[in-house]
Amino acid sequence: QVQLVESGGGLVQPGGSLRLSCTASGFRVDISAIGWFRQPPGKDREEVSCISAIDSTTSYADAVKGRFTISRDDAKNTVYLQMNSLKPEDTAVYYCATTGCPFDDYYSDSALEDESSTWGQGTQVTVSS
């Protein structure tokens, strides 16, 4: 069974930090690109970050560049999203998914466009004072 499970969300004050985890079962994250996505209240889901399987190349949405870092631990079959300097506009449900990364010349279709992608259940991140 192919499955992704997110964890690590919660309530933090502006300027605070959280680390989200995405743990995979049924496949290895070192052979599948993984992306982080978020859906703010009342808005469409958007891509936040992506990490390739082959060489760990990463990409970030402009809104999070310099603040968020995506990484992968193959031994734990887990992808992380370290979120620093959090802002109220970062409030959203955060999801991980199998995906193509935008910098990939061979497969660049986002999980937002690929019906075969596997999604986690999501974890809530709330940034508020």
Side-chain angles (χ1 to χ4, degrees):
Q1 183 177 7
V2 177
Q3 186 172 290
L4 294 171
V5 177
E6 302 96 334
S7 63
L11 174 64
V12 298
Q13 295 183 344
S17 298
L18 284 174
R19 188 180 73 164
L20 306 184
S21 298
C22 172
T23 299
S25 61
F27 69 98
R28 293 176 54 157
V29 298
D30 60 355
I31 63 171
S32 299
I34 301 293
W36 282 99
F37 304 80
R38 67 185 183 186
Q39 187 163 18
K43 297 183 179 180
D44 293 334
R45 195 171 300 184
E46 63 185 12
E47 184 169 311
V48 174
S49 185
C50 198
I51 185 167
S52 70
I54 298 175
D55 59 4
S56 296
T57 301
T58 60
S59 64
Y60 300 91
D62 288 342
V64 307
K65 286 181 179 177
R67 300 188 297 119
F68 291 11
T69 303
I70 190 171
S71 62
R72 187 181 70 240
D73 186 332
D74 294 339
K76 297 181 179 180
N77 212 31
T78 297
V79 173
Y80 302 97
L81 185 68
Q82 178 67 46
M83 305 186 295
N84 299 326
S85 302
L86 284 163
K87 305 175 181 179
E89 52 262 45
D90 295 318
T91 295
V93 178
Y94 283 71
Y95 302 87
C96 62
T98 59
T99 190
C101 292
F103 50 79
D104 193 334
D105 291 336
Y106 300 98
Y107 179 60
S108 59
D109 288 341
S110 168
L112 297 173
E113 304 166 318
D114 189 347
E115 295 181 349
S116 68
S117 296
T118 297
W119 292 84
Q121 84 290 345
T123 185
Q124 176 71 48
V125 172
T126 302
V127 184
S128 177
S129 60

